[in-house]
Amino acid sequence: MSPALRFVVGLVLGLALLTWGAFVLVQTTTREWIEKDVRLRAELAVAGARQALSVNWRSDRSTELREILTDITRDDRIMAAAACDSDFYRLAQTAGFPPRFNCDWIADQVRNLANPTVPASWHQTESLPGGPVMVSAMPVPDSDLILGFVVLVHDLSFAARRETSTRQFILLAFAFLAVAASMTTIIVARLTSRSWSEEIRRLARGEAPRGPEFRPILRDVRELVERMMVEKETESEGGAWTPQRLKSTLTRHLHGERVVIVANREPYIHERQPDGSIKVVHPASGLVTALEPVMQACSGVWIAHGGGSADRDTVDRNDRISVPPGENTYFVRRVWLEKEEERGYYYGFSNEGLWPLCHIADARPTFNTEDWQQYQAVNRKFADAVCAEVDSEDPIILVQDYHFALLPRLIRERLPRATVISFWHIPWPNSERFGICPWRRELLEGMLGSSIIGFHTQIHCNNFFDSVDRFLETRIDREQNAVVQHGRATLVRSYPISLEWPVRWVKSIPSAAECRAGVLNELGLPTDALLGVGVDRLDYTKGVEERLLAVERLLERHPEFLGRFRFVQLAAPSRTLIERYRRLNETVELVAARINERFGKNGYKPILLFRSHHEPSNIFRFYRAADLCYVSSLHDGMNLVAKEFVAARDDDRGVLILSQFTGAARELTEALIVNPYDLEEASSALAGALTMTPNEQRERMRSMRAYLAEFNVYRWAGRMLVDAARIRRRERLSGRISERLSPAASA
Ligand code: F6P
């Protein structure tokens, strides 16, 4: 039953009950009135005839008495009358007097009264075949004596008739009332719902509500509409996130706006070779691995530091180059940095200050004013490049990483309507540690110029909120996960980064079996060799030293692997101008050499360290050839090597051993999760991986692959863009509303 029908039925039932009550009340009251009226008339009639009655009150005057009684019955409500003496002997009666009510019957009734000695009028309703009657016996006094009684029989059928017509009238009134009330209700409901739907339509269209009663629900309705739109989009697009879906999300939600990415590292580096030729290099960077496919899907421009030795020779006069080579789907805009700028901004403030500040890896951050000044200057330089590249007043700008903490505010100052999404690829420390930085307030203020700030994990979002709470005067909206400052909100959300799916390198290299055969052959190893792999920039946060020590512990505890197991470490030198990194290079070399010396025999070397840059296609060959991959980061925002290893294994084989201190460990739960500092646990995991049955490997690998197929980088970018679109819609709406509410202010 529809709610409207239910309401009407309820209303009618309620009215029926009310009517029945009214009817019973009216009937009882009317009857009482009628009976009272009849009694009064009877008494009046007898009182009027009392003189004549007492004169003729004798049995020999029955004819006169009958005439007097007949006179009394002229009242058309009095049907018949009789006179009974004080001994209840009948003296006279009118014609047609019902014999049932004779003087004997009256005597019985009167005697039954509580006090028969006190004669008073007596009345009783009785029923005759013709209808109800009232019988009254009224004393006829004469001085102090009672001569007898006049008995009157009143016709009450008129009362029944009156009751019937009252009932009919009430029923009619009820029916009319029910129809009128239902109609009125329906009309009022219609009118109200029309005005409600009109108001809600206005709200959904982003117009200001007319009625003040709608203002409190304004935000709720908008959020609902937006959520429904997103859900509808997601439903209609359905399935997995792909480059096409990301593209169409951009078109639908952001009207195909051109995306501008700002990242320190460029996706393609042009390096001059000793023979004078130019080589395109793919940098060892998780950030680039993740963002490049997004850029290919969305097109637009990637603004980065042009650090390659042939970078200047390959750009056009606007410092741009179209990439990927041969495909030309988007532009790289190169920003040139002087040596001292690079030294202060990149090596200094970013990598000797912020990098160790944000990672728990036993490294002390160094902050100095000169580096800070360069950091500010380079952020301003990139802000100039952004403003030169955008082609609207409200562009979408994706600011990447810790190199550009100040950039969001600099952009906001020049492009107040821009949508700035900042993504912090490394961990965010707890507020106490963050407080070490002398320019902590400036960094936070800079970042809060963003519309959205993204981290890989919720823990880092929480740490960020705590830092803001501790060092700035803002309002933290925990319900919306936002920081509100000067009336502007910055959303702080976790968006775990991922890879394109499938990863392009997987398509361009041979099958796992062929890769294995090729790699073993290259390394001069027998076909039954057991192979582990590690792939990293040589960075102290990656736990490379701890990894090699875990291999050493494995060989100590499990000599059965001696001569059979080898660990290949592909290590790309990184940030080598920094002393801490140079020392790391040396340490890793020394540890590898020591272990090889300790366990090496007849050409067997357990550690194969390749300290050089490796192109992705080669790295993927090693992933595919290996029995296990060990990611031992001491602290890592996400770590995409772990995801790359899983992506490479379309043969569903191989075991991933993963540090619990990576963001990836929260997602790839089928990996063997270890504490890299705990060499017993790590070496047990290595042994476990080397003896794991193919079935278990398959089960774990399939589950992780299914996860990555769904939670790929298109989804990562898509979620941020959809959130950005929501913010843009909201800002546009509130812009329109505030314009409407105070046109003068906006004029
Ligand atoms: O982890 C932070 C990060 O920016 C990564 O995104 C990237 O893998 C790495 O640092 C690259 O470092 P660099 O550009 O300094 O070589």
Side-chain angles (χ1 to χ4, degrees):
M1 200 189 291
S2 75
L5 194 61
R6 236 181 290 155
F7 175 78
V8 169
V9 169
L11 185 78
V12 169
L13 285 178
L15 277 174
L17 210 68
L18 211 71
T19 310
W20 177 248
F23 175 69
V24 169
L25 190 75
V26 168
Q27 192 181 34
T28 324
T29 319
T30 317
R31 183 163 294 179
E32 267 173 25
W33 283 348
I34 290 174
E35 286 179 2
K36 206 169 163 189
D37 177 48
V38 167
R39 281 199 296 267
L40 201 67
R41 290 169 88 135
E43 278 161 17
L44 280 174
V46 173
R50 200 174 63 198
Q51 187 67 32
L53 283 168
S54 31
V55 172
N56 295 294
W57 200 260
R58 292 200 309 268
S59 56
D60 57 338
R61 305 279 300 180
S62 65
T63 313
E64 287 80 0
L65 266 176
R66 192 169 57 242
E67 273 169 19
I68 298 166
L69 293 175
T70 307
D71 260 2
I72 290 173
T73 59
R74 281 194 212 292
D75 181 330
D76 57 0
R77 299 270 162 79
I78 302 174
M79 293 164 63
C84 308
D85 71 7
S86 52
D87 296 327
F88 295 99
Y89 174 76
R90 189 183 74 203
L91 297 177
Q93 68 179 34
T94 56
F97 187 88
R100 201 181 125 190
F101 308 130
N102 58 27
C103 292
D104 291 341
W105 183 82
I106 294 291
D108 287 345
Q109 305 303 318
V110 175
R111 271 191 212 110
N112 281 343
L113 293 177
N115 189 1
T117 53
V118 181
S121 298
W122 171 88
H123 309 271
Q124 185 160 304
T125 308
E126 290 292 327
S127 172
L128 283 180
V133 293
M134 182 184 276
V135 182
S136 308
M138 278 147 306
V140 181
D142 185 24
S143 308
D144 294 342
L145 286 173
I146 298 294
L147 297 176
F149 297 88
V150 171
V151 180
L152 298 180
V153 179
H154 304 265
D155 178 11
L156 282 187
S157 61
F158 79 94
R161 278 197 305 279
R162 200 176 279 178
E163 271 171 26
T164 311
S165 46
T166 309
R167 197 181 310 138
Q168 279 168 354
F169 173 77
I170 288 177
L171 273 175
L172 219 70
F174 153 72
F176 175 75
L177 223 99
V179 171
S182 304
M183 296 278 286
T184 314
T185 310
I186 288 169
I187 290 168
V188 170
R190 278 263 162 100
L191 288 176
T192 313
S193 89
R194 193 175 298 164
S195 92
W196 266 76
S197 26
E198 181 49 32
E199 284 289 2
I200 286 170
R201 242 178 260 138
R202 290 175 64 80
L203 294 182
R205 283 199 303 264
E207 294 165 20
R210 285 203 192 102
E213 68 275 20
F214 286 91
R215 294 221 172 104
I217 62 161
L218 181 67
R219 188 165 126 185
D220 292 345
V221 172
R222 266 198 219 138
E223 274 181 9
L224 184 69
V225 170
E226 281 165 13
R227 206 168 51 236
M228 281 164 66
M229 276 174 71
V230 171
E231 274 163 18
K232 208 170 149 222
E233 292 282 341
T234 316
E235 243 171 55
S236 68
E237 285 160 357
W241 277 89
T242 58
Q244 294 71 35
R245 184 165 168 198
L246 180 62
K247 179 100 190 141
S248 76
T249 301
L250 195 65
T251 314
R252 283 188 195 196
H253 293 288
L254 294 155
H255 315 295
E257 295 276 3
R258 201 167 72 124
V259 171
V260 177
I261 285 184
V262 189
N264 172 68
R265 190 60 66 197
E266 53 183 339
Y268 298 92
I269 307 173
H270 289 85
E271 293 287 6
R272 178 80 56 198
Q273 300 301 294
D275 64 0
S277 64
I278 293 174
K279 186 179 169 195
V280 180
V281 175
H282 297 90
S285 160
L287 179 155
V288 170
T289 308
L291 280 171
E292 218 267 332
V294 171
M295 227 23 206
Q296 288 207 27
C298 300
S299 68
V301 60
W302 178 315
I303 304 175
H305 168 215
S309 53
D311 274 356
R312 282 186 196 262
D313 305 329
T314 45
V315 291
D316 63 16
R317 59 193 171 84
N318 296 317
D319 298 326
R320 283 165 153 211
I321 177 168
S322 180
V323 291
E327 291 174 44
N328 303 338
T329 44
Y330 68 97
F331 287 101
V332 169
R333 156 77 189 262
R334 286 174 173 150
V335 175
W336 315 114
L337 298 183
E338 300 301 329
K339 276 283 162 252
E340 52 288 6
E341 284 177 323
E342 192 182 357
R343 165 71 230 144
Y345 139 83
Y346 174 75
Y347 289 105
F349 195 78
S350 297
N351 288 316
E352 287 187 296
L354 293 179
W355 182 268
L357 179 76
C358 294
H359 289 92
I360 307 169
D362 195 24
R364 186 182 164 156
T366 309
F367 291 106
N368 68 60
T369 309
E370 211 176 297
D371 289 347
W372 168 240
Q373 281 163 352
Q374 294 296 0
Y375 186 83
Q376 293 177 85
V378 172
N379 270 251
R380 281 195 294 269
K381 201 171 207 178
F382 273 83
D384 291 342
V386 169
C387 292
E389 286 298 332
V390 298
D391 52 10
S392 71
E393 280 185 357
D394 56 353
I396 301 159
I397 300 157
L398 272 57
V399 176
Q400 305 301 311
D401 234 348
Y402 57 102
H403 311 91
F404 298 115
L406 307 178
L407 189 55
R409 180 152 305 280
L410 295 171
I411 295 172
R412 174 82 44 217
E413 280 163 10
R414 293 165 69 173
L415 296 164
R417 290 177 52 210
T419 301
V420 183
I421 305 175
S422 297
F423 197 83
W424 195 263
H425 289 256
I426 62 176
W428 188 273
N430 66 46
S431 60
E432 215 165 346
R433 187 172 170 88
F434 181 69
I436 292 174
C437 178
W439 297 284
R440 58 201 172 216
R441 289 174 60 89
E442 288 83 346
L443 293 176
L444 292 172
E445 293 277 7
M447 288 177 76
L448 289 176
S450 314
S451 318
I452 300 178
I453 298 174
F455 294 96
H456 293 300
T457 68
Q458 188 56 43
I459 293 176
H460 300 149
C461 297
N462 297 347
N463 284 349
F464 180 80
F465 279 128
D466 291 345
S467 304
V468 170
D469 204 12
R470 195 161 176 161
F471 301 115
L472 292 185
E473 289 205 358
T474 54
R475 184 169 68 80
I476 295 176
D477 184 340
R478 301 263 175 196
E479 203 184 345
Q480 296 291 322
N481 286 326
V483 179
V484 184
Q485 202 188 22
H486 314 305
R488 240 198 75 255
T490 299
L491 289 191
V492 180
R493 297 257 162 100
S494 70
Y495 303 95
I497 207 167
S498 198
L499 302 171
E500 61 181 327
W501 193 270
V503 173
R504 72 196 60 178
W505 308 108
V506 174
K507 286 183 259 165
S508 62
I509 56 170
S511 69
E514 287 170 280
C515 284
R516 182 174 170 81
V519 166
L520 292 180
N521 185 37
E522 251 168 64
L523 300 176
L525 303 178
T527 51
D528 64 345
L530 294 171
L531 212 61
V533 69
V535 178
D536 307 84
R537 280 184 310 103
L538 253 182
D539 193 297
Y540 53 87
T541 60
K542 301 296 178 185
V544 179
E545 192 182 337
E546 286 74 6
R547 192 179 307 166
L548 301 185
L549 294 177
V551 173
E552 180 179 31
R553 189 75 189 112
L554 168 80
L555 298 177
E556 281 169 2
R557 293 174 68 198
H558 297 277
E560 67 271 24
F561 294 120
L562 272 173
R564 289 183 64 208
F565 177 62
R566 288 162 181 88
F567 193 84
V568 176
Q569 177 64 50
L570 304 182
S574 172
R575 307 170 189 169
T576 44
L577 287 190
I578 299 172
E579 168 60 19
R580 182 77 174 78
Y581 285 81
R582 277 205 300 273
R583 265 194 283 126
L584 176 73
N585 274 258
E586 288 161 17
T587 314
V588 168
E589 283 282 3
L590 285 175
V591 172
R594 185 181 58 72
I595 296 172
N596 282 341
E597 198 171 324
R598 181 175 172 197
F599 296 104
K601 206 173 167 187
N602 303 330
Y604 167 66
K605 277 193 199 169
I607 308 287
L608 302 170
L609 175 63
F610 297 102
R611 221 163 38 78
S612 59
H613 174 78
H614 296 268
E615 280 294 293
S617 52
N618 195 33
I619 292 172
F620 271 76
R621 283 177 62 242
F622 276 87
Y623 286 143
R624 282 191 156 183
D627 295 288
L628 64 88
C629 174
Y630 183 17
V631 173
S632 55
S633 304
L634 306 180
H635 200 192
D636 219 330
M638 173 52 71
N639 192 293
L640 287 182
V641 167
K643 293 189 173 180
E644 280 179 346
F645 176 67
V646 173
R649 300 314 298 253
D650 54 4
D651 59 338
D652 294 338
R653 294 293 295 273
V655 181
L656 174 64
I657 304 173
L658 182 55
S659 159
Q660 69 187 71
F661 305 119
T662 59
R666 284 174 177 76
E667 296 180 90
L668 302 178
T669 47
E670 293 81 2
L672 303 183
I673 308 290
V674 297
N675 174 354
Y677 292 96
D678 183 346
L679 298 184
E680 300 306 310
E681 187 182 55
S683 59
S684 295
L686 285 168
L690 291 172
T691 52
M692 191 181 282
T693 63
N695 261 350
E696 188 175 346
Q697 291 183 30
R698 192 170 304 117
E699 256 180 58
R700 287 174 183 268
M701 193 53 82
R702 275 192 185 161
S703 171
M704 290 190 285
R705 287 177 62 80
Y707 182 87
L708 290 187
E710 190 180 342
F711 291 85
N712 57 32
V713 78
Y714 303 113
R715 187 178 189 277
W716 172 79
R719 279 186 58 221
M720 285 196 296
L721 292 178
V722 168
D723 284 349
R726 191 175 302 149
I727 292 173
R728 282 164 84 89
R729 265 201 299 276
R730 202 172 290 163
E731 280 173 358
R732 249 174 233 160
L733 291 170
S734 43
R736 268 194 239 158
I737 287 169
S738 51
E739 262 170 40
R740 199 156 300 139
L741 293 180
S742 59
S746 59

